[in-house]
Amino acid sequence: MKLYTSNRAPNPRRVRWFMAEKGIEDVEIVDVDLLKGEHRAPDYIARAGVAQAPALTLDDGTTVTESIAICRYLEALHPEPNMFGRDPKETAVIEMWTRRAELLCATPLMLAVRHGHPALAALETQVPEVAANNRAAGERSLKLFDRRLADSPWLGADRITIADGVLFIGMEFARLVRFAIPEELGHLGRWQAAMRERASAGAGA
Ligand SMILES: N[C@@H](CCC(=O)N[C@@H](CS)C(=O)NCC(=O)O)C(=O)O
């Protein structure tokens, strides 16, 4: 298997984070330089179907894109430690928090960086209002996660799951535009410190 990935880019970093949490090492890492446009090369698009990273190419030639789909595939191959849920209720709750993390926080913060950081001008026609609106949307969602983390050590379950990775990496990427969790959101701050202490925090960064 080959994982086409790009250091620092948040969606590829999700997969690298997930692999680090699971101790998966039997995947060849192929670096794709997004800022040089390597993901737009015809052979890359022919393989992946989209000009995006990450992409996982299996030994039979099938290519899977979408970071969460890749993580689900890897979970099926390496079930422990479980990151997507062990029974119907747990799976649904983890999925709920994963989607909330992605849709309410990580995606808006990624758009804030994409439209707001000069380095990303290579990939995007930047619109300052898009950066500002998305940053505000991402920041508005933080109280929801802080309330959840007041009652639960981790976002999706009583152990670390994919939901934590999605929220954490979205926020880490937004440090490029000086995003920081407000001090009054102490539960979120405690959780972020715990996430940063893990060996997985540096994977793909
Ligand atoms: N929904 C996809 C998003 C993939 C994506 O947008 N990847 C970015 C890097 S974080 C990319 O390849 N961007 C290239 C471009 O916009 O030209 C996933 O979760 O994998």
Side-chain angles (χ1 to χ4, degrees):
M1 274 189 291
K2 286 185 185 177
L3 180 70
Y4 294 83
T5 180
S6 192
N7 278 351
R8 292 179 296 280
N11 292 293
R13 189 173 164 189
R14 272 183 199 162
V15 180
R16 300 295 300 277
W17 174 89
F18 188 81
M19 287 169 58
E21 282 290 336
K22 282 192 168 271
I24 297 174
E25 291 177 352
D26 60 344
V27 177
E28 186 184 339
I29 301 297
V30 182
D31 192 57
V32 181
D33 191 329
L34 298 179
L35 297 180
K36 284 191 185 152
E38 289 178 359
H39 60 303
R40 294 184 179 142
D43 66 324
Y44 186 90
I45 295 174
R47 187 185 320 105
V50 289
Q52 288 182 336
L56 181 72
T57 297
L58 314 185
D59 294 341
D60 74 354
T62 304
T63 294
V64 181
T65 65
E66 297 298 327
S67 50
I68 301 295
I70 293 171
C71 291
R72 278 194 185 281
Y73 178 76
L74 294 175
E75 170 114 335
L77 296 184
H78 300 266
E80 296 297 334
N82 176 283
M83 304 281 275
F84 277 94
R86 294 192 191 282
D87 59 46
K89 185 176 87 174
E90 199 184 70
T91 302
V93 172
I94 293 170
E95 174 87 11
M96 175 182 80
W97 283 107
T98 302
R99 290 188 63 80
R100 286 176 172 175
E102 179 158 31
L103 296 171
L104 302 180
C105 189
T107 298
L109 290 182
M110 286 181 210
L111 285 168
V113 177
R114 202 175 161 97
H115 283 267
H117 192 282
L120 278 290
L123 294 177
E124 190 65 70
T125 305
Q126 295 181 315
V127 179
E129 290 79 4
V130 173
N133 287 347
N134 277 286
R135 184 181 185 131
E139 288 176 344
R140 270 199 306 277
S141 74
L142 298 180
K143 282 186 184 161
L144 170 71
F145 300 108
D146 191 65
R147 282 198 303 274
R148 165 65 171 171
L149 291 164
D151 300 331
S152 175
W154 304 101
L155 193 57
D158 60 2
R159 63 178 187 283
I160 194 164
T161 68
I162 183 68
D164 296 287
V166 168
L167 186 63
F168 175 65
I169 290 160
M171 290 180 175
E172 289 294 286
F173 185 57
R175 290 168 72 182
L176 283 172
V177 290
R178 296 195 169 81
F179 165 82
I181 295 171
E183 263 182 35
E184 63 268 25
L185 301 182
H187 305 293
L188 201 49
R190 180 266 306 157
W191 165 88
Q192 184 187 50
M195 292 294 289
R196 282 187 178 157
E197 273 174 19
R198 300 176 75 87
S200 57

